[in-house]
Structures are given as C-alpha cells and as structure tokens.
Amino acid sequence: MTGAIVENRQSADRASAWRGYALVSPAYLWLLLAVFLPLSAMVYFSFLSSNVFDSGSAQFTLGNYLSFIRRPVYPILLWRSVLLGIIVTALCCFIGLFAGLALARALPGRARALVFMLILLPFWTSGLVRVFSWVVVLRTGGVLDSFVNWLVPGAGPTGILYTYTAIVIGLVHAYLPYMIITCYLSALAIDDSILDAARSLGATWPRVFRRVVLPLMLPGLGVGAVLTFVPVVGSFMEPRLLGGRSGTVFGTIIEDQFTAVFNWPLGAALSFIMLAVVLVIMAISAPLLRDRREMLK
Amino acid sequence: MSSSIRLLGQALVTLVIGFLYLPILVMIAMAFNKSPYYQLPIEWSLRWFNDLLADQRLQEAAVNSVLIATATAVIAGALGTLAALGLARYRFFGRGFLKALLLPPIAIPWVIIGCAMLILAFWTGIGRGLHAILISHVALSLPYAIMVVGSRIAGQGTACEEAAATLGANPRQVALRITLPLIAPGIVAASLFSFATSFDMFVISYFLAAPGQTTLPVEIYASIKEGFTPVINVVSTILILVSFVLAVLISRLHDFGTKQ
C-alpha cells in the first residue's frame, strides 16, 4: 500500500516537474532573449576593437578596459558618480530613517494608511516627469525664484538649476520613497515590548534609539540603500536635465558612447566597469550592516 | 513615546510629503498658466492644452505609448501568471535558480540593460523601433508580474483546488473554475503594474526608439532638452494623472506590504 503510494508519487512528481517547466518556459525564454542574451552580447562586445557591423572585422582586445586606466577622465567621472551615489544615499538614509520611523510610530492608524499611500504614489509616476517638475521649480525666474523674491524683495535669482545641488535634490526626490518604505516596514516590525523593556531598565530615548531602534532598522536601511545607490550611480537622465553642463557623470559618458560617439565597445566596457565597482562597494558595505546587527545580541 | 517626539515625527512626515508633492503640484498648476515663462501670479488658461491638440508628434508618441503599454500588460500578465503558477505549484530542478534570475533585470542599472538591448537589436538585425521597445518592456515587467501573481498564489493555498479535485473536477476544470478566479486579482494587478512600468519607462525606450517610432517619455525628454515648452507641463500632468489612477486601482487589488 505505502509502496504503491510512493511509486505513484514519484511518477506524479516527474510529470509535475515537466508541467512546471512548461509553465515557466515562455516567460524565461523571453527574459533569456531580451535580457540575458543582450547582456552576454554586451560582454563579448566590450572586448572588440570596433563595432562589428561597421567594419565587418573586429579584433579581440582589452583596449576598451585599458582606456579606463589610460584616460584619467574616466576614473574621475566614475568617482563623481560614486560620490553622487554616496551623497544621495546618505541623505535618503537620514531622512528616510526618521520619516519611516515617524510614519510607523507617530501617526494614528487612519492617517498612516493615507500617508503611506501618498508616499507610494510617486513610486508609480514617471521619474522623467518628476525630474521635469524640478526643472519647472528651480529654473531661473521660475517658481522658487518668484517665491524667494516675494519673501526677500531684491534677492535676485537663486540659480540652483544646472548645479550639482539641483542633481542631488532631484535624485533624493526620486529615491526617497523607496527608503521611507523599506524603513517603515522594518520600523513596523519592532516589538513595543522591547522598547518598553529598554525604557523600564532606565535607558533614555536617545539611548533606546541608538542601541535598540537603529540596529533593528538596519535591514530596512540596507535594502533602501541598495535600491537607491545602484540606480543613482547609473543615472544619466537626471544629471543631464538638472545639471546641464555641470551634469557630466559616468552614466552620461556611457550614454554618449551609445547615442553620440557610437563607440559601442568602449561604452560596453565602461558599463561593466561601473557594474563591477557598484558590486564591490555593495559587497564591502554588506558585512558592515550585518556586524551592526550583532550589537543587539 | 513622549508626545513631543510624536509631534516632531508628525512634523517631519508633513515636511517630507510637502517635498515629494510640491514640485509636482507646481508643475500641474503651470500647465494651466497662460505665461510661457511660468510667471506668477498664475493667469489661468487652457492654451497649452489646445497646443497639445495641435501637436502631431506628441500625439503620435502618446498613441504609441498606450499601445505598447497595453500589449505589455497583456503579454507580461499572461506569461507572468503561467510562470508564477509553475514556480509556486510545481517542484523541479533549478526552481531556486530561476527565482534568483528574476533579480538581475531589476537590479542592473537600466542604462546598462538599455545599451545591451541596443547592441542585440543591431546585431540580430531586428533594429530599433516600437517592436524592440515592446520586447524590452515585456522583459522588464515580467519579473514584477511573476512576483505579484506569485504572492497572490502564495496567499491562497491549495485547499480549494484539492477540494474540487476530490469532488471529481478534472484538472482543466480546476484550473479554469477554481485557480484562475482565485488568483484573478493578482493577475489584474500584475497587468496594471506592467502597464504602468511600460507607460512610464524612459531609459530603455530612449535607447531603442527610432525616428518616428518613439514613446511619450522619449518625446518629453527631447522637448525638455530642446528648451522649455509649456506643452510638456500639460503632457506631464496627464501622465501623472494616468499613473495615479493606475496606482489607486492596483492598490485596491493588491497590497504591497501596506497591511501587516
């Protein structure tokens, strides 16, 4: 009896495995053709001496990767992008940590649901449109200038658009919702009794925050930081529209290779250098976050 | 928590909401401002809406955007549902690996994926254009669609299906009469999500757009770079409103961690 069931199960398992493969294959075939194959082609491309469809014959070369070292402008611009990523991520962490905490702890239930919805909404709107809204606000003679001059007559234009500050403002605006949501979720998970215990044992609020709340919110901060840092380092549209001539970063250099200079192999190599640097930075910062969590134990 | 800290927290949340919404509200207000130089105080007018009605290029791009987003919603919704069912209901070799494969399309910066697709589009000879944009939009929506439908399936369990099978329903009947209706809200949410992803996608469309075959975000970007065209305020306002309506619809069908 039992043996028959087991045997039955095994053949059923095999049949069900095939049914599983059949169900997932259309989606994964699509992903393979549209994402993974292009990425592989790009890896191959990054080792070519020229666009294959231009010259017909292209040699294998490391030159595209080496030109990153040979021309100091590339490391400098990559550093600019990484720094931009660090600044924007730090600002988002700082604001998002407290905003997420406040959202989870300081708002009554009904208001909380509404505010959560409001923070989720920008998430759905076009990033391009939100950057454009800052162009409208920040441009010389724009709304901010009018407001400042109404407050302080004769203050003149603020001239924020087409500066580094404008890029940072736009990017923080773009990625802050991610950080607030991940911080909010980990703040919700903090058990009230832990806070009560810490308080009743005589810890002051700042101490409770530093020793209990902060370590418990690190996972949320970490996820938010990754969700912010990676796209910011790769950004090109925001620096271009908000930074103008001062908005040259690594992302815009890559974009130029593909849309203006048409040196696709170099663009491909620079892309993978960027990806590698991003991965290394994340690998370095991951244990940092984990070690901090140990503090609670 | 003491009430002063609570008050401070509420003030912070208010400030953050203001920061997130003020520029968008300003932009929407400027869509109705008669002055092309965004002069204050606002003189209300619908002249930029009329300009949009006369702008052939933006209208064509808008039609393209809607068509591609609709096709993306249908294809990603269907393939995503199948894959989610396969991943959730069947045990097979490589299942964990396939789940992990959903992450790179989300995690790799779009500029890199866009460039990669551009390379392949030229290499294979299919070239740039609306077809390439559609292929890429479906690919980028798929991981989200699979996850959204997957979480709905995970929340349902298999009790109803087992009961139906016990009562003599054949697999086809179980699939169409039980499974599908149960996970339908997840499928609709995934499709709407895919529509929104495609409708708002700029970076990848930008690399794959061809002259005369563009989407609305690509046209908006071109216009912003050319200079300040107030018509873009109108288009952006419409885009924002469409997104908001979609977001509210989706949140009705699927809660992304809003409820504990």
Side-chain angles (χ1 to χ4, degrees):
Chain A
M1 180 70 188
T2 331
I5 289 177
V6 168
E7 202 169 287
N8 213 342
R9 263 227 107 111
Q10 276 176 347
S11 71
D13 277 359
R14 225 168 298 131
S16 104
W18 282 114
R19 233 172 277 150
Y21 284 126
L23 284 172
V24 299
S25 53
Y28 278 91
L29 215 61
W30 197 296
L31 282 177
L32 178 73
L33 290 176
V35 177
F36 296 107
L37 208 62
L39 284 173
S40 317
M42 195 169 172
V43 173
Y44 175 68
F45 231 80
S46 67
F47 291 105
L48 294 182
S49 56
S50 62
N51 292 3
V52 267
F53 17 80
D54 288 351
S55 54
S57 64
Q59 272 95 51
F60 179 87
T61 174
L62 286 173
N64 299 312
Y65 287 93
L66 289 176
S67 64
F68 176 79
I69 306 164
R70 288 204 196 105
R71 295 198 46 199
V73 62
Y74 294 138
I76 290 171
L77 283 172
L78 182 56
W79 168 239
R80 239 178 100 92
S81 281
V82 170
L83 193 65
L84 185 66
I86 293 172
I87 291 173
V88 171
T89 308
L91 281 171
C92 284
C93 276
F94 186 74
I95 305 171
L97 172 68
F98 292 105
L101 197 57
L103 182 56
R105 297 269 149 187
L107 289 183
R110 279 196 75 86
R112 194 205 295 170
L114 176 72
V115 172
F116 187 82
M117 188 70 205
L118 283 176
I119 288 175
L120 218 58
L121 270 179
F123 212 63
W124 296 92
T125 58
S126 159
L128 178 70
V129 166
R130 289 198 283 150
V131 166
F132 174 63
S133 73
W134 279 107
V135 175
V136 173
V137 171
L138 296 178
R139 71 182 290 237
T140 306
V143 179
L144 183 72
D145 280 4
S146 305
F147 182 70
V148 167
N149 279 284
W150 172 76
L151 238 101
V152 188
T158 51
I160 293 181
L161 189 61
Y162 303 137
T163 63
Y164 200 74
T165 315
I167 305 176
V168 172
I169 291 176
L171 286 170
V172 168
H173 187 249
Y175 293 101
L176 187 58
Y178 292 77
M179 189 68 84
I180 295 179
I181 287 164
T182 56
C183 284
Y184 165 73
L185 291 177
S186 53
L188 267 189
I190 298 176
D191 195 339
D192 281 330
S193 58
I194 299 179
L195 302 182
D196 291 342
R199 283 289 285 165
S200 66
L201 289 171
T204 57
W205 275 120
R207 197 175 160 84
V208 172
F209 175 76
R210 216 173 51 244
R211 299 299 295 272
V212 181
V213 175
L214 196 58
L216 283 172
M217 287 186 69
L218 275 176
L221 269 180
V223 173
V226 171
L227 287 177
T228 306
F229 184 75
V230 176
V232 169
V233 174
S235 65
F236 74 91
M237 174 263 284
E238 296 89 344
R240 198 142 267 182
L241 294 183
L242 293 170
R245 229 173 281 157
S246 65
T248 306
V249 288
F250 209 64
T252 62
I253 292 292
I254 293 176
E255 184 222 336
D256 276 339
Q257 302 307 320
F258 282 93
T259 61
V261 190
F262 297 108
N263 190 345
W264 291 9
L266 178 63
L270 294 180
S271 295
F272 286 116
I273 290 172
M274 180 173 87
L275 197 59
V277 167
V278 166
L279 287 177
V280 166
I281 292 175
M282 289 200 312
I284 293 172
S285 47
L288 214 87
L289 287 172
R290 212 175 306 132
D291 287 350
R292 288 287 192 75
R293 283 192 74 187
E294 301 289 310
M295 283 187 353
L296 198 67
K297 288 178 184 155
Chain B
M1 216 180 288
S2 67
S3 63
S4 60
I5 297 183
R6 194 175 292 267
L7 218 61
L8 210 68
Q10 288 169 353
L12 175 69
V13 169
T14 313
L15 273 177
V16 166
I17 295 289
F19 171 70
L20 289 177
Y21 280 89
L22 269 181
I24 296 176
L25 293 178
V26 165
M27 185 194 70
I28 293 176
M30 289 304 156
F32 297 93
N33 192 354
K34 199 173 172 198
S35 155
Y37 308 108
Y38 306 145
Q39 252 160 14
L40 293 176
I42 291 177
E43 238 186 284
W44 301 97
S45 132
L46 289 177
R47 68 183 276 204
W48 309 119
F49 284 82
N50 284 325
D51 278 18
L52 175 64
L53 289 179
D55 194 323
Q56 208 70 41
R57 215 175 49 151
L58 281 173
Q59 280 177 32
E60 271 169 28
V63 170
N64 288 342
S65 273
V66 172
L67 288 179
I68 288 181
T70 308
T72 302
V74 173
I75 300 172
L79 299 190
T81 303
L82 292 181
L85 276 172
L87 290 173
R89 290 289 161 83
Y90 299 94
R91 299 285 169 271
F92 49 85
F93 177 75
R95 191 168 142 269
F97 175 68
L98 286 184
K99 277 188 177 171
L101 273 188
L102 296 178
L103 285 179
I106 298 176
I108 297 175
W110 281 340
V111 60
I112 296 182
I113 295 189
C115 295
M117 285 173 171
L118 178 61
I119 287 178
L120 197 80
F122 266 88
W123 215 343
T124 54
I126 66 166
R128 294 176 302 171
L130 295 179
H131 56 290
I133 294 177
L134 176 64
I135 291 172
S136 70
H137 285 192
V138 172
L140 287 169
S141 308
L142 265 177
Y144 297 106
I146 294 173
M147 287 184 209
V148 169
V149 181
S151 73
R152 174 82 197 181
I153 296 172
Q156 289 300 322
T158 54
C160 290
E161 278 130 320
E162 278 160 12
T166 314
L167 292 170
N170 63 38
R172 207 184 120 88
Q173 281 173 321
V174 173
L176 291 179
R177 307 282 291 270
I178 310 289
T179 311
L180 210 56
L182 274 178
I183 63 172
I187 301 174
V188 176
S191 295
L192 289 175
F193 193 103
S194 304
F195 186 97
T197 305
S198 163
F199 197 64
D200 291 336
M201 171 57 68
F202 161 69
V203 174
I204 289 168
S205 311
Y206 171 68
F207 285 105
L208 296 175
Q213 296 196 26
T214 59
T215 61
L216 204 47
V218 179
E219 277 302 318
I220 293 177
Y221 180 74
S223 301
I224 302 173
K225 269 180 83 176
E226 274 167 27
F228 296 99
T229 42
V231 182
I232 297 304
N233 283 321
V234 176
V235 181
S236 301
T237 301
I238 295 171
L239 266 178
I240 288 267
L241 293 180
V242 170
S243 309
F244 276 14
V245 169
L246 279 176
V248 172
L249 275 181
I250 297 169
S251 72
R252 284 278 158 107
L253 292 160
H254 185 97
D255 59 293
F256 291 90
T258 35
K259 293 190 192 102
Q260 278 298 290

